[in-house]
Amino acid sequence: MQDRFYFGTNTKMFKTAAETVDYLRRLEELTCGIPRERAERFVIPSYTSLGPARTELDRAGSGILLGAQNMGWEERGQYTGEISPLMLREAGARLVMAGHSERRHTFRETDAEEEKKVRCALDHGFRVLLCVGEQLEDRQYGTGDEVLRIQLKVGLHGVRPEEADRVWVAYEPVWAIGLNGIPADEGYAGEKHRMLRGTLEELFGEAGSRVPLLYGGSVNPENAVALSRCEEIDGLFIGRSAWDAERFAAIMCAVLEAA
Ligand code: PGA
């Protein structure tokens, strides 16, 4: 575990703008005492929440980083239903997520599309959170590592080592995510994180050793500390268990106390 631990949540298609603002206000109250050097906190709400969330975070002088769940890879154009980097910047996002499992599998996004989003987000000055994860059948066929390496190598293709300090990666096995998900244990997650770290170093050399590598997929108050103690895990990317500010703050405190 690095000195600074990462705690983030993606609220998916939950929480209206008003609900997001209430949530952020409470989360900030509960966690503002945690120094930024010890913990990077980030929240990725719905697009319509971004503007009001930015206003709230600025008002509170909060260090919580605000991210977007997805992004089109052009600044403007005939792309009905997409959102551009210019719009996300204007709305206040500083981080862009690419390749969440639900984007890849429910909306059939490809590795090549994630690459375009990563490129475009870096070109527009955002930090990027690239999510990777193998499906259950990949695990059963023993091809999980190949799938993960392809997702990483294609998704980060063309990223220069000097840009790698704006890249974060979340390892989220698809079978671990969501209501029917079974969380990976520390042993399994640690093994995959080691492999991913090796791939990041292959891609970026020394800079690859500093890319934050987060675990996600059914992280909860019961398993968060054990996962965080895993040497290779630099942060936790949490869905359901973080959508209540009290619960999320309790996870942060427990992890930091145990460090
Ligand atoms: P979960 O979601 O923690 O609810 O499994 C994780 C995610 O989708 O990133």
Side-chain angles (χ1 to χ4, degrees):
M1 179 167 151
Q2 298 181 354
D3 292 344
R4 188 185 213 196
F5 203 74
Y6 291 71
F7 296 97
T9 185
N10 153 30
T11 63
K12 307 192 181 185
M13 203 172 72
F14 294 97
K15 292 195 194 292
T16 61
E19 288 165 346
T20 302
V21 167
D22 285 347
Y23 168 79
L24 285 171
R25 189 172 295 143
R26 188 72 187 125
L27 190 64
E28 176 63 16
E29 275 166 18
L30 293 165
T31 62
C32 61
I34 302 175
R36 192 109 189 249
E37 312 81 64
R38 284 213 70 203
E40 179 81 77
R41 297 163 295 151
F42 65 99
V43 173
I44 307 185
S46 64
Y47 297 136
T48 54
S49 297
L50 287 170
R54 177 82 274 147
T55 305
E56 172 58 25
L57 293 174
D58 289 348
R59 185 200 60 76
S62 170
I64 296 174
L65 195 74
L66 193 61
Q69 296 180 14
N70 192 14
M71 189 190 72
W73 56 76
E74 296 286 346
E75 286 192 349
R76 56 181 70 77
Q78 302 180 101
Y79 300 105
T80 303
E82 288 293 305
I83 192 156
S84 92
L86 303 182
M87 297 163 189
L88 291 180
R89 177 147 295 280
E90 179 184 50
R94 302 288 177 262
L95 167 78
V96 170
M97 175 162 63
H100 186 275
S101 138
E102 287 148 22
R103 297 304 316 171
R104 291 178 186 271
H105 301 296
T106 311
F107 298 100
R108 307 232 172 276
E109 290 185 6
T110 64
D111 289 331
E113 287 169 338
E114 309 315 346
E115 183 214 346
K116 288 197 232 179
K117 293 177 192 198
V118 168
R119 181 70 266 154
C120 178
L122 289 174
D123 286 345
H124 286 82
F126 291 99
R127 289 198 181 86
V128 177
L129 174 64
L130 177 67
C131 302
V132 297
E134 82 283 16
Q135 292 182 266
L136 190 58
E137 56 263 40
D138 304 318
R139 189 179 175 184
Q140 283 159 349
Y141 285 124
T143 53
D145 286 7
E146 285 85 344
V147 168
L148 291 170
R149 276 173 61 78
I150 289 170
Q151 290 180 351
L152 211 54
K153 290 178 82 166
V154 177
L156 299 178
H157 179 78
V159 174
R160 297 183 296 278
E162 61 272 23
E163 294 173 313
D165 63 347
R166 284 190 287 129
V167 173
W168 303 353
V169 172
Y171 166 57
E172 301 199 285
V174 178
W175 43 268
I177 294 176
L179 269 184
N180 299 316
I182 301 160
D185 61 41
E186 316 87 79
Y188 187 90
E191 185 195 306
K192 294 296 171 229
H193 275 237
R194 266 191 295 284
M195 188 278 298
L196 290 166
R197 176 67 66 205
T199 309
L200 287 167
E201 288 171 354
E202 248 175 67
L203 291 172
F204 303 126
E206 219 264 305
S209 66
R210 295 191 299 271
V211 171
L213 197 41
L214 284 58
Y215 170 79
S218 293
V219 174
N220 59 47
E222 285 72 49
N223 63 14
V225 169
L227 285 162
S228 73
R229 283 199 165 133
C230 186
E231 184 67 22
E232 295 77 14
I233 294 181
D234 304 317
L236 298 173
F237 190 36
I238 313 176
R240 290 155 296 152
S241 291
W243 297 341
D244 172 80
E246 267 75 16
R247 215 162 175 225
F248 193 17
I251 291 178
M252 292 191 206
C253 292
V255 166
L256 294 173
E257 268 166 30

